[in-house]
Amino acid sequence: DTAVSQTPKYLVTQMGNDKSIKCEQNLGHDTMYWYKQDSKKFLKIMFSYNNKELIINETVPNRFSPKSPDKAHLNLHINSLELGDSAVYFCASSNRGWDLPYNEQFFGPGTRLTVL
Amino acid sequence: DQQVKQNSPSLSVQEGRISILNCDYTNSMFDYFLWYKKYPAEGPTFLISISSIKDKNEDGRFTVFLNKSAKHLSLHIVPSQPGDSAVYFCAASLGTASKLTFGTGTRLQVTL
């Protein structure tokens, strides 16, 4: 019973295509995230949703559009894929409790996207 | 602008010895720091954390030290075991804000 799952695990596609990555968490968390790990291994936040509401939107091209149909799901749709989009994309979740001292995030296994 | 830095990309330690992984940060507003461990083809998993009001937190073989004046933290693993071989990421948080800022990771290899 995987806590945070992502599909697909690997995605190989051509430049210009549109693709989606799906994420689901069964931890009952109220906040979900998308991170991108590029070839230099930087792990950077892209988006965060709390109770289906977008709360963090870093400087990401608007070809990337997150969608949260419910608290347990956060999908990432990418339009007009470019070579530079090749990376590993990680989904994560947490409980954004205002009385919690910190924000432990639970990560999915990642989706390796390769754009040819 | 990289606010969290791990300047050692890799570290090799003999089994049974101490592993020391270092992390530096530039934003003095960070008030919580976390260490994540990552195996190949898996997502990062939480290891240990420390609040900025403390200078040490210990959990079994893992201890994190924080030096606020130097904006430096370190993770000590004693004794190191082969199963500890992984990439370790340092991360910083601004209170309960959702954003974690990660370092680039240090690959630890524990040899027999």
Side-chain angles (χ1 to χ4, degrees):
Chain A
D1 52 344
T2 307
V4 183
S5 59
Q6 296 178 227
T7 53
K9 195 166 175 65
Y10 299 96
L11 183 54
V12 181
T13 188
Q14 300 284 337
M15 274 176 55
N17 283 350
D18 303 338
K19 290 293 178 186
S20 291
I21 307 172
K22 296 187 175 182
C23 177
E24 177 181 1
Q25 56 94 3
N26 61 9
L27 297 166
H29 288 165
D30 59 8
T31 306
M32 296 184 73
Y33 315 80
W34 278 110
Y35 286 86
K36 178 181 179 181
Q37 186 180 33
D38 61 21
S39 57
K40 293 183 180 177
K41 305 304 180 187
F42 286 110
L43 193 64
K44 294 182 75 171
I45 183 95
M46 300 173 68
F47 301 103
S48 174
Y49 269 74
N50 176 255
N51 284 318
K52 303 195 298 175
E53 183 182 337
L54 182 66
I55 54 171
I56 290 179
N57 184 352
E58 293 290 296
T59 309
V60 176
N62 55 17
R63 298 182 294 104
F64 290 79
S65 51
K67 289 224 173 17
S68 181
D70 55 58
K71 270 180 26 173
H73 295 84
L74 180 62
N75 304 324
L76 183 65
H77 188 75
I78 316 170
N79 288 329
S80 304
L81 278 155
E82 299 177 358
L83 293 176
D85 297 332
S86 295
V88 182
Y89 292 84
F90 289 99
C91 176
S93 72
S94 73
N95 261 338
R96 196 183 184 211
W98 296 104
D99 58 337
L100 293 175
Y102 68 93
N103 180 22
E104 180 186 340
Q105 297 180 14
F106 294 78
F107 284 79
T111 295
R112 182 175 292 278
L113 171 65
T114 303
V115 183
L116 303 174
Chain B
D1 176 32
Q2 203 183 331
Q3 296 187 67
V4 179
K5 298 179 185 179
Q6 293 174 258
N7 292 318
S8 298
S10 63
L11 175 67
S12 183
V13 171
Q14 240 180 350
E15 183 182 10
R17 303 277 186 132
I18 183 171
S19 295
I20 300 176
L21 297 97
N22 293 304
C23 178
D24 296 294
Y25 62 96
T26 56
N27 188 344
S28 57
M29 298 298 292
F30 288 138
D31 57 1
Y32 230 91
F33 302 91
L34 304 89
W35 284 94
Y36 278 80
K37 177 179 179 179
K38 185 183 179 305
Y39 291 117
E42 293 183 14
T45 55
F46 171 75
L47 192 57
I48 192 169
S49 65
I50 187 167
S51 163
S52 61
I53 63 173
K54 296 188 174 182
D55 54 19
K56 178 182 173 181
N57 187 26
E58 194 171 348
D59 183 3
R61 296 186 297 115
F62 303 92
T63 304
V64 56
F65 295 92
L66 175 63
N67 182 335
K68 275 190 70 175
S69 60
K71 296 194 183 71
H72 176 85
L73 64 155
S74 60
L75 174 68
H76 292 213
I77 307 173
V78 182
S80 302
Q81 298 173 354
D84 296 330
S85 297
V87 177
Y88 289 79
F89 288 95
C90 169
S93 176
L94 280 165
T96 54
S98 297
K99 184 175 167 178
L100 283 180
T101 302
F102 282 87
T104 49
T106 296
R107 181 177 300 279
L108 173 65
Q109 180 74 38
V110 179
T111 57
L112 297 172

